[in-house]
Amino acid sequence: MIKVAPSILSADFAAMGEAVKKLKNQGADWVHFDVMDGNFVPNITFGPDMCKAIRPLTDLPIDVHLMVEHPAEWITPFQKAGADILTIHVESSERHLHRALQAIHAAGMKAGVVLNPATPISVCTHLLTECDLVLLMSVNPGFGGQSFIPETLRKIRELRAEIEVRGLPTLIEIDGGVNPETAKLCRDAGADILVAGSAVFKAESPAEAIKAIRG
Ligand code: DX5
Ligand code: ZN
């Protein structure tokens, strides 16, 4: 079953609570929460305090995508803020990714790594047993509303093949430029979770958009 994770980066920041409250009825599976530090990526969004603020408003899992340097420093703050899933970039300054993934698990959250478009799948091969999910970026991180990079499809197929051959339960999440059309390509290539920001929040009917993305 495909999961859809609307990215609240594209929601109205002045009405964030209302947007989050509606997501479950609109058919969302997870709330995708984009953390940017103005350093790893050229943009700044929000942090643990925002996570804490929205936590009581939904029972959907909060999927925190850390686009920050030193991501391990944020494991405890996000655990305390009620996050369910924490993903860290392999390109970040974290040298000990394996240890960081273990620390996320020890903190009671699901863990995963994120790969930028330029990063090969081989980087995460030896981390897969520690990953509940791998997030493949289908745009360069930092902003919503960019176009899907088609090369991502080859990466999804490669990762899917590796996961299947080893019989692992690791899920594949795709983030960036996902709309009903690119979602179909991702599903066919073997994706499990589809993140969508603008395609959901800028749609006339977010519920219809989520349905179309799920396929
Ligand atoms: C980009 C973020 C995405 C972003 C996706 O750096 O990680 O989650 O919100 O937005 P869309 O779906 O508009 O590309
Ligand atoms: Zn994201």
Side-chain angles (χ1 to χ4, degrees):
M1 179 70 174
I2 298 283
K3 287 184 173 26
V4 181
S7 164
I8 58 170
L9 177 64
S10 297
D12 177 357
F13 276 31
M16 189 55 86
E18 291 312 305
V20 170
K21 277 188 210 161
K22 285 183 195 157
L23 281 174
K24 191 172 185 178
N25 281 341
Q26 289 168 338
D29 297 285
W30 291 358
V31 179
H32 187 76
F33 190 97
D34 285 308
V35 181
M36 303 188 190
D37 67 352
N39 193 9
F40 179 70
V41 285
N43 198 2
I44 296 177
T45 55
F46 35 65
D49 287 345
M50 173 70 100
C51 185
K52 195 175 168 193
I54 66 165
R55 179 65 288 176
L57 308 181
T58 182
D59 57 9
L60 295 177
I62 300 179
D63 169 31
V64 176
H65 174 192
L66 288 179
M67 286 164 275
V68 304
E69 298 291 12
H70 310 295
E73 291 177 12
W74 298 99
I75 297 171
T76 302
F78 275 103
Q79 178 211 17
K80 287 188 177 154
D84 299 277
I85 301 147
L86 217 55
T87 59
I88 56 177
H89 269 264
V90 299
E91 306 86 359
S92 74
S93 56
E94 177 55 62
R95 287 187 185 175
H96 304 289
L97 290 163
H98 190 275
R99 180 188 289 155
L101 291 164
Q102 288 183 320
I104 297 170
H105 281 139
M109 295 177 283
K110 291 200 185 306
V113 287
V114 192
L115 275 60
N116 276 336
T119 304
I121 292 297
S122 56
V123 168
C124 70
T125 307
H126 302 292
L127 294 171
L128 287 181
T129 53
E130 289 300 323
C131 289
D132 299 291
L133 70 166
V134 172
L135 171 47
L136 301 180
M137 290 306 300
S138 38
V139 298
N140 288 293
F143 305 94
Q146 305 180 79
S147 300
F148 183 86
I149 299 171
E151 179 67 15
T152 313
L153 298 170
R154 251 162 36 94
K155 292 176 72 176
I156 300 174
R157 285 192 288 267
E158 187 183 332
L159 180 56
R160 171 55 59 202
E162 174 78 14
I163 288 169
E164 294 298 317
V165 114
R166 291 168 59 187
L168 295 170
T170 320
L171 300 174
I172 303 177
E173 181 174 28
I174 305 302
D175 185 5
V178 173
N179 57 38
E181 290 73 44
T182 55
K184 177 169 182 4
L185 303 174
C186 293
R187 294 194 309 267
D188 290 350
D192 300 293
I193 307 141
L194 300 171
V195 175
S198 22
V200 169
F201 288 103
K202 311 287 182 225
E204 222 169 276
S205 164
E208 284 301 316
I210 290 170
K211 205 168 142 195
I213 288 164
R214 194 191 311 282

